[in-house]
Amino acid sequence: MPTPDTQLSAEQSRQVAETIREEIARRRISRQALAEQAKLSLSTLEKVLGGRRPFTLATTVRLEQALGVSLRKTPDLPVAAPPANGDVAPDGLGAYSRRAVGWIEGTYVTIRPSFGDKEAIFAYRTEIAWDAAASSLVFHESERQDAAYTQYGEVAVPNQSGHIYLVTNRHGQHRLITVARPTISGEMYGIITTLLAGRGSLLTPIAAPIAYLPIKMVSGPTLGRISPNDANYAAYRQHLRRTIDEPFAMFLPG
């Protein structure tokens, strides 16, 4: 089993460095900001990106957690050995088998109300896939307008509730999305509970309806902040209303 200080090969390090540089450019963040998020020194980050030092497994994992993307794309890259239970998720996620949840895997257009504009809708991409190392479903968000808040985490599918939970846990800080099992056409509807960033360090708990639409069912999906004049606005708004109207989720008055 590889240890945290296992060094990646020269080719693996080159591929990881290239992916990181692409993410930095796409998100328009500085190397200093990335180093702070990954709890690395700027000097270490500069050396590995410049090819003056190989990546270690520990450094790669820290950068993956900071960026919310997988940097280990080659089959022979060292990863943690899969759990002994193989294709069965841990009990804490519902003890589901991979075969039992294969129909959830896929790429979704994710929509929720914009927290900053009452008339707008916030849309981005979410991929749900099986992670052999974790022996469970995981999710990764991408193409968010606020890229710094991109989330990734585990997917729980317990039999008892009949719901699916997308859980982010970063140093004890949680974001939870609870959705009903997919409809016959594949959509999932539910509630997101998270923290709204305000001025300075102010964070306020907030909940809102959320919908996951299989990307194949959305013709010409648009992402980002969707305004009323967008071609997909009416359809997106209808899906959000369906969350409450059917209801897949309920919001009680105070």
Side-chain angles (χ1 to χ4, degrees), residues 20-31 33-34 67 145 147-148:
I20 293 172
R21 285 193 291 268
E22 289 175 355
E23 288 295 322
I24 288 175
R26 184 175 67 83
R27 302 178 187 209
R28 299 179 181 177
I29 60 175
S30 67
R31 293 187 176 187
L34 176 58
L67 290 169
Q145 186 178 44

Side-chain angles (χ1 to χ4, degrees), residues 230-254:
D230 185 275
N232 286 310
Y233 181 85
Y236 286 175
R237 180 63 69 186
Q238 184 176 5
H239 281 291
L240 289 178
R241 289 200 183 103
R242 185 181 180 188
T243 302
I244 301 172
D245 291 345
E246 295 238 352
F248 289 95
M250 298 178 66
F251 294 84
L252 300 180

Side-chain angles (χ1 to χ4, degrees), residues 60-184:
T60 305
V61 169
R62 286 189 179 190
L63 288 164
E64 285 179 331
Q65 292 174 338
L67 290 169
V69 298
S70 174
L71 301 172
R72 297 171 285 177
K73 298 179 180 179
T74 56
D76 58 338
L77 198 64
V79 294
N85 59 353
D87 285 352
V88 177
D91 183 66
L93 295 178
Y96 53 83
S97 68
R98 181 176 187 180
R99 179 178 297 182
V101 296
W103 45 286
I104 302 174
E105 294 187 72
T107 302
Y108 297 84
V109 175
T110 309
I111 56 173
R112 63 160 173 79
S114 168
F115 295 156
D117 182 347
K118 293 181 180 180
E119 296 299 321
I121 295 171
F122 197 60
Y124 52 92
R125 185 188 301 261
T126 300
E127 181 180 358
I128 298 177
W130 184 267
D131 187 308
S135 190
S136 71
L137 288 175
V138 297
F139 72 92
H140 290 266
E141 298 174 353
S142 62
E143 298 186 52
R144 285 185 55 146
Q145 186 178 44
D146 54 348
Y149 295 97
T150 296
Q151 303 286 320
Y152 64 98
E154 301 172 316
V155 180
V157 191
N159 288 324
Q160 291 87 344
S161 73
H163 283 71
I164 298 166
Y165 305 84
L166 286 75
V167 185
T168 300
N169 179 1
R170 296 291 168 266
H171 309 293
Q173 180 170 299
H174 287 66
R175 187 197 72 172
L176 176 64
I177 296 173
T178 305
V179 293
R181 301 291 177 100
T183 65
I184 192 170

